Amino acid sequence: MEAKVLVKDLYKSFTKLDVLKGISMEVDAGDVICIIGPSGSGKSTLLRCLNMLEVPSSGTVIIDGHEMTGKHANLNMMRRRIGMVFQQFNLFPHMTAKKNVMFAPVDLKLMNKKEAEEKALELLKRVGLSDKADSYPWQLSGGQQQRVAIARSLAMNPDVMLFDEPTSALDPEMIGEVLQVIKELAVGGMTMLIVTHEMKFARDISDRVIFMEDGIILEAGSPDVVFQNPREERTRKFLQLVQ
């Protein structure tokens, strides 16, 4: 079976700073991969290279059989299949929750307004926000805004979802509601790569945990192995600090 996400020998440098130093990984359909590690280890840059928000310096990224790094890649078309949820919610402030979710499918002429509205309401229900469809972002809590952002990504029917520290901008009491939505997506079989500082969540949800340090994958394995019996001393030290 072909991997859903295939990364080969990925490098990324910003002028003289080498951020990714030869990342290779495979993600199968339905896998949930949590990426952990200290700040500055390249986790977010890796995610951004997967959908070409950052152009890799060298290496190959193939998602669902399409080479993102190919010279003639139709990135706009390919990105439709990749949902991305950021630390900041990036909602349109002048649009209601429903309109935020509807916007991309209508703008890209993938659905008419009626179809997009039905889909938006269905997705808002899925993330527990049926009663907030007509609310504007400023009327919503941080956790609610992030759940709208997740619904907005799902509106494009993505094959893969990328989450870049989706709870880092939230107050502690709002973190659980966002993590619950992500857990439900995992149960539904969504392929996901999640950069997170929530170690208990990573342990509970992951098929595989990747520990990054200084631009490389230092350790990867099942949550049980990485969290309870890590091979690398650096992984052990990191987990002692954050758990």
Side-chain angles (χ1 to χ4, degrees):
M1 188 175 71
E2 192 175 68
K4 198 75 162 172
V5 178
L6 184 61
V7 179
K8 293 182 189 171
D9 217 20
L10 194 68
Y11 285 79
K12 176 62 182 177
S13 301
F14 296 96
T15 56
K16 293 183 178 176
L17 180 65
D18 299 326
V19 179
L20 300 179
K21 304 172 184 176
I23 300 282
S24 295
M25 58 192 259
E26 288 188 28
V27 181
D28 291 329
D31 276 359
V32 178
I33 310 298
C34 280
I35 304 169
I36 64 171
S39 294
S41 56
K43 307 182 299 295
S44 295
T45 301
L46 172 59
L47 279 201
R48 292 173 70 85
C49 283
L50 294 185
N51 67 358
M52 301 293 283
L53 286 176
E54 298 288 357
V55 179
S57 302
S58 64
T60 305
V61 175
I62 299 171
I63 294 186
D64 207 26
H66 299 286
E67 188 179 341
M68 302 292 289
T69 43
K71 194 177 282 186
H72 303 294
N74 184 342
L75 289 181
N76 286 336
M77 188 66 74
M78 292 181 193
R79 281 194 188 116
R80 294 178 188 180
R81 313 303 298 164
I82 307 167
M84 182 131 188
V85 177
F86 300 89
Q87 298 175 34
Q88 302 299 333
F89 326 120
N90 298 338
L91 299 177
F92 294 115
H94 61 290
M95 291 184 187
T96 62
K98 180 176 72 179
K99 290 277 175 64
N100 264 282
V101 178
M102 289 172 60
F103 178 76
V106 172
D107 187 56
L108 295 168
K109 298 182 169 53
L110 302 176
M111 298 179 195
N112 63 38
K113 281 191 176 175
K114 185 171 185 299
E115 292 167 335
E117 183 173 16
E118 286 173 3
K119 179 81 171 176
L121 292 172
E122 171 197 320
L123 288 170
L124 288 171
K125 181 178 181 182
R126 188 170 169 186
V127 299
L129 292 173
S130 289
D131 59 333
K132 300 294 184 183
D134 296 318
S135 298
Y136 288 89
W138 59 270
Q139 296 172 308
L140 302 173
S141 70
Q144 289 168 336
Q145 289 184 62
Q146 191 61 296
R147 284 187 280 155
V148 173
I150 293 171
R152 180 180 57 183
S153 288
L154 293 173
M156 296 297 290
N157 294 318
D159 294 311
V160 177
M161 287 282 283
L162 309 175
F163 292 87
D164 187 8
E165 298 188 23
T167 59
S168 68
L170 300 178
D171 294 331
E173 67 269 22
M174 294 172 189
I175 289 171
E177 65 193 52
V178 173
L179 297 183
Q180 183 58 39
V181 169
I182 299 173
K183 282 182 181 176
E184 286 164 12
L185 291 177
V187 170
M190 177 66 75
T191 308
M192 295 189 282
L193 287 93
I194 306 165
V195 171
T196 185
H197 289 299
E198 302 290 332
M199 295 301 140
K200 182 180 184 305
F201 169 72
R203 179 181 283 183
D204 290 347
I205 197 175
S206 303
D207 295 298
R208 201 157 80 251
V209 176
I210 287 172
F211 175 73
M212 285 185 67
E213 165 86 344
D214 195 28
I216 64 169
I217 294 175
L218 196 63
E219 184 157 358
S222 71
D224 285 350
V225 169
V226 173
F227 284 110
Q228 291 170 18
N229 194 22
R231 294 189 316 272
E232 300 289 335
E233 178 64 22
R234 182 66 189 93
T235 314
R236 271 197 292 278
K237 284 184 174 170
F238 173 77
L239 291 171
Q240 283 168 1
L241 287 172
V242 297
Q243 288 197 97

